Amino acid sequence: MSLLELKNISRIYASKFSAVSVEALKKITIEVEKGEFVAIMGESGSGKSTLLNIIATLDEPTAGDLYIAGKNISGISKSGISKFRRENIGYIFQDFNLLETLNVQENIELPLVLSNINPDEIEKRSEEVMKKLRILELKNKYPYQISGGEKQRVAIGRAIIINPKILLADEPTGALDSKSSTMVLNNLKEINEQGQTVLMVTHSLIAASKAKRVLFIKDGIIYNQLFKGSRSNEDFYELISYTLTVMNEKEE
Ligand SMILES: Nc1ncnc2c1ncn2[C@@H]1O[C@H](COP(=O)(O)OP(=O)(O)OP(=O)(O)O)[C@@H](O)[C@H]1O
């Protein structure tokens, strides 16, 4: 069984004020295995954020089924869904979303504060995460004292401290310069190599070329997918770039 399964997922946004509704996702079927690193690419408005929000259990599909680790998400009660999300889904935002009044270590520990885990165990886990991401020396700093790339690495720490089944990233390098992007992408690649399943929405060819598979979405459907296989980052970059060009040329 796949770690993540979407079966014929559709999402229609109905407008309260007009008869026009938007079909943002059209019967999307995707399977993701444990340990994969998948990038999702597509033009603005193609449905990427809608897809990520549904997988994050932040939004509900209009039709279709979503399974995470074999569990049918539509079978979880409204009250159970935030607990499920807290325990299973890590999420990284483009603009980090750190709390400015907490230091790096406190930001990373935040998802565990609501749990029953004892404070010594929480500290041990946050130190492990900071070592893994090579940000231990930042532990007492506040967000305003660190760079954008460092903030995003803290956000990765906050996302993975719960040992999520899936780590979702929405444009994780979108607000970063190329040096910071490289550091963040290296962190994501390393934690994926240690077994973390990662799904990343990105417009960046460099970011996508670090993934093991790229899904291309166009007008709410999966247009194509590419597997990296044994290709180098450079060769995969060229192939992704070519696919995007062809996809975006084919306007009917
Ligand atoms: N809350 C909403 N209400 C109505 N329509 C929406 C809503 N959210 C998204 N849409 C529409 O659904 C379609 C898909 O939007 P979505 O945000 O998923 O695209 P995207 O690929 O993530 O775009 P971007 O790269 O610009 O973030 C678009 O036509 C968008 O206008």
Side-chain angles (χ1 to χ4, degrees), residues 47 50 82 130 137 167 193 221 240 250:
T50 304
S82 29
M130 287 187 286
E137 72 284 1
L167 177 60
E193 283 164 358
I221 62 162
I240 296 166
K250 273 195 177 170

Side-chain angles (χ1 to χ4, degrees), residues 196-208:
Q196 176 67 58
T197 310
V198 182
L199 236 84
M200 166 180 73
V201 162
T202 185
H203 283 111
S204 158
L205 284 162
I206 292 176

Side-chain angles (χ1 to χ4, degrees), residues 79-139:
S79 55
I81 200 77
S82 29
K83 181 170 185 285
F84 178 86
R85 190 183 314 123
R86 248 193 343 264
E87 292 175 352
N88 294 286
I89 311 284
Y91 203 100
I92 306 167
F93 304 85
Q94 176 170 345
D95 52 2
F96 330 124
N97 275 11
L98 299 180
L99 292 186
E100 295 293 323
T101 51
L102 300 183
N103 68 25
V104 162
Q105 183 159 16
E106 290 162 345
N107 264 288
I108 290 175
E109 292 176 354
L110 198 59
L112 296 184
V113 171
L114 286 173
S115 67
N116 290 325
I117 302 171
N118 78 53
D120 289 346
E121 171 66 16
I122 292 180
E123 193 176 342
K124 189 168 151 258
R125 275 168 69 172
S126 70
E127 300 238 335
E128 274 168 16
V129 162
M130 287 187 286
K131 269 189 207 142
K132 194 188 269 194
L133 298 171
R134 294 184 299 280
I135 51 173
L136 193 59
E137 72 284 1
L138 303 178
K139 65 189 255 188

Side-chain angles (χ1 to χ4, degrees), residues 176-241:
L176 303 177
D177 60 30
S178 68
K179 191 164 162 248
S180 297
S181 296
T182 303
M183 287 168 105
V184 164
L185 290 169
N186 286 343
N187 275 159
L188 288 175
K189 191 165 172 284
E190 281 164 21
I191 58 177
N192 168 252
E193 283 164 358
Q194 290 157 13
Q196 176 67 58
T197 310
V198 182
L199 236 84
M200 166 180 73
V201 162
T202 185
H203 283 111
S204 158
L205 284 162
I206 292 176
S209 61
K210 299 272 162 82
K212 292 177 185 161
R213 171 156 65 128
V214 181
L215 293 173
F216 297 88
I217 180 167
K218 178 172 178 163
D219 298 333
I221 62 162
I222 302 293
Y223 170 85
N224 197 359
Q225 66 172 333
L226 293 174
F227 286 89
K228 185 170 190 177
S230 54
R231 287 184 185 89
S232 64
N233 286 342
E234 292 71 24
D235 286 352
F236 202 33
Y237 178 107
E238 292 301 331
L239 191 56
I240 296 166
S241 169

Side-chain angles (χ1 to χ4, degrees), residues 13-14 22-24 42-51 171 201 203:
Y13 293 108
V22 178
E23 200 174 358
E43 286 193 316
S44 185
S46 58
K48 304 179 299 295
S49 302
T50 304
L51 183 65
E171 287 281 0
V201 162
H203 283 111

Side-chain angles (χ1 to χ4, degrees), residues 6-10 27-28 61-67 72 74:
L6 286 84
K7 287 190 181 162
N8 293 316
I9 292 279
S10 298
K27 292 199 167 185
I28 286 211
T62 311
D65 291 302
L66 168 68
Y67 296 86
N72 189 341
S74 60

